[in-house]
């Protein structure tokens, strides 16, 4: 008999039983029967159940509870078998790690910053991942322009819209292959505003074209240049909003001077990298491209480098490696001008570990100030229809600092950018060597000091 339940019904108790019974065909079937049990019988059964339960509990307690005779016998036996038993009072309340058997990873120097999302947001710090656990690769390219009223975008739209119709797949692979790619955004993203009166060239790109930055692999947009303000403050503010919505960090411009001058930081492989951007173009007291103030939007201007050097010094105190991307020089001139020669050593002395220059629309040479390499100008990257030598700087950084500095030759021609190969590659490298006295550049573009 199987008792399924015991509901109370007045003075008698209802139970169900299950039995097997053959039907007319000879097959066995389950049959439920309802029976009742009188109160005295139920009371007897309940008492018997409680007695058995109590006795069983006592047996268990006598056998296993500390202090019982059997437990004490077992402890005595254990002592006889093993003399070096640890006394109970010497065992700590919490288990402590044992160095010989437990590998405890070293705590990140930036664990507190990484754990505090609010702090990272307020200080423009980005937690980043690299393709290697040992080093970080960073790439830099020069001027890009996405205004569809100019040749670059007009030709791209005519050829097929996708980015590979403007930048070759092998060049794109190089760009997308670095951990962080930095590019000079030489235009505002805006669908409104009024072009700057009297300015010969004013650029802007539709906000939807920001997707091309993702296609290139851009991770940081430099806004410190002389075209980001071409459609006034509204154009600049639209650019900040567009890049923010696209998830692309920007540097060198902002809603006020504090934002415009602030570095952005990347923490990757327990290395904290600062990126600062500034412009000394135009070199006028009242330029078309407005400098940011405490209360108004604009770019971070550094015609007077004092503020820039202060920012670099602070960035160095708060990071491991400082990169300065600076808009300077004279257009279409391959030699650095007086302002570049004046400011480069000051920026290096302030704490910059690398200086990347831009603005002349052509390549300029490479030099060193102390341990700090400087490329005076990256030139155009994907900017107009001219045939121009260009390239990409690719560096690697480890815990000890910069491990390599490579100039990767490329060619802008017919509104396209292609990696340079063979004789074209060697020609560009030879010209860079001629522009870079005191510097060695090998056949793969790796740079060193003589």
């Amino acid at each position: 008999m199987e008792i399924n339940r015991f509901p109370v019904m007045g003075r008698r108790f209802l139970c169900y039983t299950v039995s097997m019974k053959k039907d007319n065909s000879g097959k066995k079937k389950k049959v439920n029967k309802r029976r009742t049990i009188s109160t005295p019988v139920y009371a007897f059964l309940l008492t018997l159940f409680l007695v058995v339960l109590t006795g069983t509990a006592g047996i268990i307690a006598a056998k296993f509870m500390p202090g019982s005779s059997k437990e004490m016998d077992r402890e005595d036996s254990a002592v006889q078998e093993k003399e070096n038993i640890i006394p109970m009072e010497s065992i700590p309340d919490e288990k402590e790690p044992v160095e010989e058997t437990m590998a405890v990873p070293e705590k990140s120097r930036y664990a507190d910053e990484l754990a505090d999302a609010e702090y990272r947001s307020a200080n423009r710090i980005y937690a980043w991942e690299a393709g290697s656990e040992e080093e970080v690769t960073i790439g830099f390219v020069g001027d890009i322009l996405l205004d569809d009223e100019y040749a670059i975008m007009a030709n791209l739209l005519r050829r097929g819209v996708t980015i590979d119709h403007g930048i070759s797949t092998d060049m794109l692979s190089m760009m997308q292959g670095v951990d962080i790619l930095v590019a000079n955004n030489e235009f505002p993203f805006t669908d409104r505003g009024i072009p700057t009166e009297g300015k010969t060239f004013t650029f802007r790109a539709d906000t939807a074209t920001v997707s091309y930055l993702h296609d290139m692999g851009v991770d940081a947009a430099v806004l410190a240049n002389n075209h980001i303000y071409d459609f006034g403050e509204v154009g600049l503010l639209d650019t900040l909003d567009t890049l923010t919505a696209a998830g692309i960090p920007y540097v060198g411009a902002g809603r006020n001077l504090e934002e415009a001058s602030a570095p952005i930081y990347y923490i990757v492989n327990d290395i904290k990298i600062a990126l600062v951007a500034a412009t000394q173009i135009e070199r006028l007291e009242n330029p078309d491209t407005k400098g940011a103030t405490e209360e108004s939007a604009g770019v971070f201007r550094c015609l007077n480098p004092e503020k820039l050097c202060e920012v670099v010094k602070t960035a160095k105190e708060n990071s491991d490696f400082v990169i300065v991307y600076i808009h300077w020089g004279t257009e279409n001139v391959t030699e650095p001008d007086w302002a570049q020669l004046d400011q480069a050593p000051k920026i290096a002395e302030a704490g910059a570990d690398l200086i990347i220059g831009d603005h002349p629309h052509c390549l300029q040479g490479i030099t060193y100030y102390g341990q700090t390499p400087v490329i005076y100008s990256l030139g155009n990257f994907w900017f107009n229809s001219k045939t121009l030598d260009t390239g990409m700087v690719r560096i690697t950084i480890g815990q000890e600092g910069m491990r390599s500095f490579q100039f990767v030759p490329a060619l802008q021609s017919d509104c396209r950018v292609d990696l340079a190969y063979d004789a074209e590659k060697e020609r560009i490298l030879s010209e860079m060597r001629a522009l870079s006295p005191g510097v060695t550049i090998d056949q793969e573009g790796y740079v060193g000091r003589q």
Side-chain angles (χ1 to χ4, degrees), residues 192-257:
R192 55 195 184 129
I194 300 172
T196 301
E197 186 178 354
K199 195 168 186 177
T200 304
F201 297 104
T202 54
F203 306 136
R204 69 173 169 182
D206 295 341
T207 55
T209 61
V210 72
S211 62
Y212 286 113
L213 296 187
H214 285 301
D215 295 340
M216 295 179 207
V218 173
D219 299 299
V222 174
L223 306 183
N225 57 61
N226 58 304
H227 284 287
I228 198 66
Y229 209 86
D230 281 359
F231 280 75
E233 183 176 299
V234 67
L236 171 59
L237 295 177
D238 283 352
T239 303
L240 306 183
D241 292 340
T242 299
L243 291 169
T244 299
I248 299 174
Y250 57 83
V251 64
R255 295 168 180 82
N256 50 51
L257 182 58

Side-chain angles (χ1 to χ4, degrees), residues 214-410:
H214 285 301
D215 295 340
M216 295 179 207
V218 173
D219 299 299
V222 174
L223 306 183
N225 57 61
N226 58 304
H227 284 287
I228 198 66
Y229 209 86
D230 281 359
F231 280 75
E233 183 176 299
V234 67
L236 171 59
L237 295 177
D238 283 352
T239 303
L240 306 183
D241 292 340
T242 299
L243 291 169
T244 299
I248 299 174
Y250 57 83
V251 64
R255 295 168 180 82
N256 50 51
L257 182 58
E258 181 181 6
E259 182 181 8
S261 62
I264 55 177
Y265 296 93
Y266 296 90
I267 297 178
V268 51
N269 287 348
D270 207 31
I271 304 169
K272 189 175 182 181
I273 301 163
L275 175 62
V276 179
T279 175
Q280 52 175 246
I281 307 298
E282 302 96 0
R283 293 169 177 169
L284 304 168
E285 289 297 324
N286 186 28
D288 292 328
T289 303
K290 303 301 181 186
T293 69
E294 299 296 335
E295 299 178 350
S296 63
V299 297
F300 181 26
R301 283 178 56 80
C302 65
L303 186 55
N304 178 344
E306 184 176 344
K307 174 66 174 176
L308 172 59
C309 289
E310 290 176 3
V311 170
V312 171
K313 182 179 180 181
T314 301
K316 186 63 175 178
E317 292 170 352
N318 290 290
S319 63
D320 302 304
F321 195 91
V322 178
I323 301 163
V324 177
Y325 197 119
I326 183 168
H327 213 66
W328 58 3
T330 302
E331 290 187 3
N332 305 311
V333 176
T334 58
E335 297 293 331
D337 64 22
W338 65 270
Q340 291 170 284
L341 296 173
D342 175 68
Q343 289 195 7
K346 295 176 180 177
I347 296 168
E349 187 178 354
D353 296 291
L354 172 67
I355 300 173
I356 302 289
D358 202 10
H359 175 66
H361 299 297
C362 61
L363 290 173
Q364 293 183 340
I366 301 169
T367 192
Y368 281 80
Y369 288 98
Q371 299 300 314
T372 303
V374 180
I375 180 166
Y376 283 112
S377 175
L378 284 172
N380 287 351
F381 182 71
W382 192 42
F383 189 78
N384 57 23
S385 60
K386 293 181 179 180
T387 297
L388 291 170
D389 295 341
T390 184
M392 170 180 168
V393 166
R394 184 179 185 273
I395 68 167
T396 60
I397 303 171
Q399 290 287 344
E400 74 281 7
M402 187 185 298
R403 293 181 175 177
S404 68
F405 179 107
Q406 183 185 21
F407 175 77
V408 181

Side-chain angles (χ1 to χ4, degrees), residues 166-182:
I167 302 175
S168 66
T169 54
D170 50 358
M171 186 75 244
L172 284 171
S173 179
M174 179 71 69
M175 298 165 71
Q176 295 165 356
V178 296
D179 299 315
I180 302 170
L181 180 66
V182 182

Side-chain angles (χ1 to χ4, degrees), residues 50-68:
L50 292 174
V51 169
V52 172
L53 180 62
T54 303
T56 302
I59 293 171
I60 294 172
K63 185 175 183 180
F64 295 106
M65 285 184 66
S68 67

